[in-house]
Amino acid sequence: MTILETRSVGFAYRGGAPVLSDVSVAVSPGRNLALVGESGAGKTTLLRLLLGLARPSSGEVLFDGRSLRPDREFRRSVQPVFQDPYSSLDPRQRVDRIVSEPLRAMRIGARDEIGDRVAQTLRAVGLPADAARRYPHEFSGGQRQRIAIARAIVCEPRILLADEPVSALDVTTRVRLVELLRELNTARDLTVVMVSHDLAVVAALCDEIAVLDRGRIVERGPSADVLGSPRHPHTRRLVASVPRLRRSSGPPGEGR
Amino acid sequence: MTLLDVDDLSVRQADGHELLHGLSFTLARGERLGLIGESGSGKSLTALAILSLLPAGLTAHGSVLVSGTQVVGAADRRLDRVRGRAVSAVFQEPLMALDPLMRIGRQIAGPLRRRRGLRGAALRAAVLAALEEVRLPERIASAYPHEVSGGQRQRAAIAMALACEPDLLIADEPTTALDVSVQAEVLALLDGLVAEKGMALLFIGHDLAVVAGVADRLIVLRDGAVVESGRTEDIVKEPRHTYTRSLVHSAWEFEAELDRLAP
């Protein structure tokens, strides 16, 4: 069973060379999926297709087994989080207004329930209750990304599509946000589809990996297989390139 | 021989607010020092203060000797003798180091002409040698910065920085904007060049795994002050300060799952 999938989709921006060719990926409930690749591989374009923000030039995108129509039901079920928490939040709106926007836009819940849902969602992402009345600039990068996640999950979607959600953050913050996403995955039945070039984040969060290289999927499978015994040379190169503390210093605690 | 002697360096805003507090360290030929910290810790301010390139409104105090020349408060004339020759730098964003309207070859030729007085065929040969050194093909010389990839641009910026054979290279997040496989290539390139030329390297970064892979010694900065310094191996294995401990543990935790799946 899959919630969202692409069947041999191709995509070209107007007048351009194909950005994606014959790409098939499937999102199964509960199985976090990573779309991995380097710049220009087509990750973000694929995410746009999955979000219904662009239509494939060939092939099709299916949502619950039917051709994707970006209607209310779809938008309620599939929500995005972007890389830069500084540009994705309106600086002139208070946090409660930002977080409640999907509810208001999709007319979910009665007016008097909205405040409660916002408060409950802010709690779920680990923000203090008084966050609701404050403005985005009063928060750190990590807290802003929590606000963006709160906005995305307030309507209880089934899928969170996240484009490099932690790569703009410092490492301590990054670890905590990955924890939060994993928690939401289990506690809320939320499946995370993440675009990333960072294999450490991918390993920590995702069960499945699809590796993109120049618009094509070159390898796909459970994370343990793809990272543990990569078959495609491109994947092998990616895995070997990750800077690792282990390599520069040996495992922790073992004096040499 | 000490190439860089930083003593009680502070950076202040016009209103007197201090952003960097009394930083001291020295760097000798062949040494590699890593400056690590999270955003806002003062890493880049340190680099800019050493190069005397602080933005308007910020002033450096204390002493920075680059190959014996005092940089703090120095006039441009004196700085000209230091920058590019004794010390040069590579930054995170190569597009800011490169002029978008000038072919890459001409940009690399600039410092070679000014500093080493090369002209004509000798200059052309030196440009090609500089490109070869950073493993860029000859055709890059006639390309404009926007026509080449991010990794190639950073290599070109490195070629420019090394053109006048500085004794000290400051690399401020030089691979942060690059893809991971390109990052690995550029790091290997820097590593090889620094070793080959016996330069001193001040490597600034936020990613402990990257900085630890390059530097022999580390200085950990937080909120503009040093919290810990020492040999890389010691800090990565047995951090003493609470802050360093959280930084190091986060980094280990961060790659733990990847280490488990792909040791």
Side-chain angles (χ1 to χ4, degrees):
Chain A
M1 189 182 66
T2 62
I3 311 176
L4 191 58
E5 71 175 295
T6 66
R7 285 203 186 148
S8 359
V9 297
F11 185 85
Y13 288 97
R14 201 180 337 185
V19 179
L20 294 173
S21 322
D22 195 23
V23 169
S24 301
V25 290
V27 185
S28 314
R31 307 270 302 160
N32 292 343
L33 168 70
L35 306 171
V36 166
E38 303 205 287
S39 33
K43 307 185 295 286
T44 299
T45 301
L46 180 54
L47 204 66
R48 286 173 55 82
L49 296 183
L50 289 171
L51 262 176
L53 292 176
R55 283 158 168 259
S57 319
S58 59
E60 59 178 345
V61 183
L62 302 178
F63 171 60
D64 276 338
R66 285 200 303 269
S67 186
L68 186 157
R69 280 204 350 256
D71 54 11
R72 189 166 166 275
E73 175 54 29
F74 173 78
R75 280 185 288 130
R76 188 174 177 164
S77 306
V78 181
Q79 282 283 318
V81 173
F82 298 100
Q83 174 171 0
D84 181 3
Y86 287 84
S87 62
S88 67
L89 304 177
D90 185 339
R92 292 166 305 177
Q93 294 196 359
R94 291 182 201 270
V95 168
D96 55 358
R97 195 148 176 91
I98 293 175
V99 171
S100 63
E101 182 167 5
L103 298 178
R104 288 181 285 116
M106 290 185 270
R107 299 208 174 79
I108 299 168
R111 196 179 270 185
D112 52 344
E113 286 172 27
I114 287 184
D116 287 345
R117 284 188 72 157
V118 168
Q120 181 234 328
T121 310
L122 290 175
R123 237 189 344 266
V125 299
L127 285 170
D130 70 340
R133 298 304 296 159
R134 287 151 68 190
Y135 288 96
H137 74 261
E138 300 175 51
F139 296 89
S140 67
Q143 288 175 317
R144 280 167 184 245
Q145 201 57 307
R146 285 174 194 264
I147 297 170
I149 292 172
R151 174 177 56 188
I153 64 170
V154 72
C155 57
E156 298 179 341
R158 291 147 69 194
I159 295 185
L160 199 65
L161 290 176
D163 193 352
E164 304 271 13
V166 300
S167 57
L169 308 172
D170 284 327
V171 64
T172 31
T173 318
R174 234 185 258 191
V175 169
R176 287 198 294 270
L177 266 167
V178 168
E179 266 165 24
L180 169 66
L181 289 171
R182 221 171 17 205
E183 215 173 275
L184 295 173
N185 171 239
T186 44
R188 293 200 165 216
D189 280 332
L190 183 69
T191 309
V192 179
V193 178
M194 183 176 65
V195 157
S196 184
H197 67 279
D198 188 333
L199 292 182
V201 176
V202 167
L205 186 65
C206 295
D207 311 288
E208 308 268 339
I209 296 178
V211 182
L212 277 161
D213 182 27
R214 282 164 289 172
R216 290 177 182 277
I217 302 268
V218 296
E219 185 157 359
R220 186 174 49 185
S223 303
D225 299 348
V226 174
L227 297 174
S229 43
R231 280 171 290 126
H232 195 277
H234 182 72
T235 318
R236 278 204 287 271
R237 200 159 60 97
L238 284 182
V239 174
S241 299
V242 182
R244 306 268 279 272
L245 267 184
R246 178 182 283 271
R247 281 197 198 117
S248 55
S249 62
E254 290 175 24
R256 273 189 300 190
Chain B
M1 181 193 142
T2 304
L3 292 177
L4 178 63
D5 187 347
V6 175
D7 188 31
D8 200 23
L9 172 67
S10 304
V11 172
R12 284 182 213 142
Q13 288 177 345
D15 61 8
H17 183 72
E18 206 169 84
L19 301 173
L20 189 67
H21 320 289
L23 185 63
S24 300
F25 62 88
T26 62
L27 196 54
R29 181 167 286 282
E31 283 188 327
R32 296 153 175 238
L33 176 66
L35 213 52
I36 183 153
E38 305 203 319
S39 32
S41 61
K43 311 181 294 283
S44 294
L45 276 184
T46 307
L48 293 175
I50 293 169
L51 293 161
S52 200
L53 288 175
L54 286 171
L58 297 185
T59 48
H61 304 266
S63 159
V64 175
L65 294 174
V66 177
S67 293
T69 304
Q70 180 59 254
V71 168
V72 174
D76 280 350
R77 281 263 286 291
R78 176 142 43 111
L79 291 171
D80 279 347
R81 295 206 305 265
V82 173
R83 291 196 291 230
R85 298 178 198 205
V87 55
S88 68
V90 182
F91 296 100
Q92 175 170 342
E93 187 38 79
L95 276 182
M96 285 172 58
L98 297 170
D99 183 336
L101 298 177
M102 201 190 277
R103 292 180 200 276
I104 289 172
R106 268 192 71 196
Q107 308 201 37
I108 296 173
L112 289 167
R113 193 171 46 228
R114 280 196 304 276
R115 296 281 197 246
R116 283 163 58 188
L118 298 176
R119 299 285 185 276
L123 181 58
R124 236 184 331 273
V127 168
L128 294 184
L131 285 173
E132 201 191 325
E133 201 164 64
V134 295
R135 320 269 189 284
L136 282 176
E138 216 177 299
R139 62 179 170 77
I140 298 288
S142 55
Y144 287 97
H146 75 270
E147 295 175 318
V148 306
S149 71
Q152 288 173 326
R153 281 199 285 265
Q154 194 60 297
R155 282 164 193 270
I158 294 172
M160 276 170 72
L162 298 185
C164 296
E165 301 177 339
D167 302 313
L168 166 66
L169 179 68
I170 298 178
D172 185 359
E173 304 266 13
T175 60
T176 307
L178 305 176
D179 275 325
V180 59
S181 65
V182 182
Q183 161 168 284
E185 288 164 17
V186 170
L187 286 174
L189 174 72
L190 268 178
D191 190 66
L193 288 171
V194 168
E196 188 183 304
K197 293 173 183 293
M199 283 185 285
L201 176 67
L202 178 62
F203 192 97
I204 297 173
H206 70 285
D207 186 332
L208 184 60
V210 171
V211 181
V214 174
D216 311 314
R217 265 193 306 144
L218 292 180
I219 292 178
V220 184
L221 279 179
R222 185 196 195 187
D223 298 334
V226 176
V227 295
E228 186 164 350
S229 64
R231 291 200 316 146
T232 301
E233 217 182 288
D234 298 339
I235 288 188
V236 167
K237 283 189 183 156
E238 282 169 72
R240 285 156 196 279
H241 191 279
T242 326
Y243 173 72
T244 319
R245 235 177 277 152
S246 85
L247 198 72
V248 170
H249 287 169
S250 296
W252 278 115
E253 195 183 329
F254 190 61
E255 64 173 60
E257 193 57 26
L258 186 61
D259 283 339
R260 196 178 70 76
L261 295 178

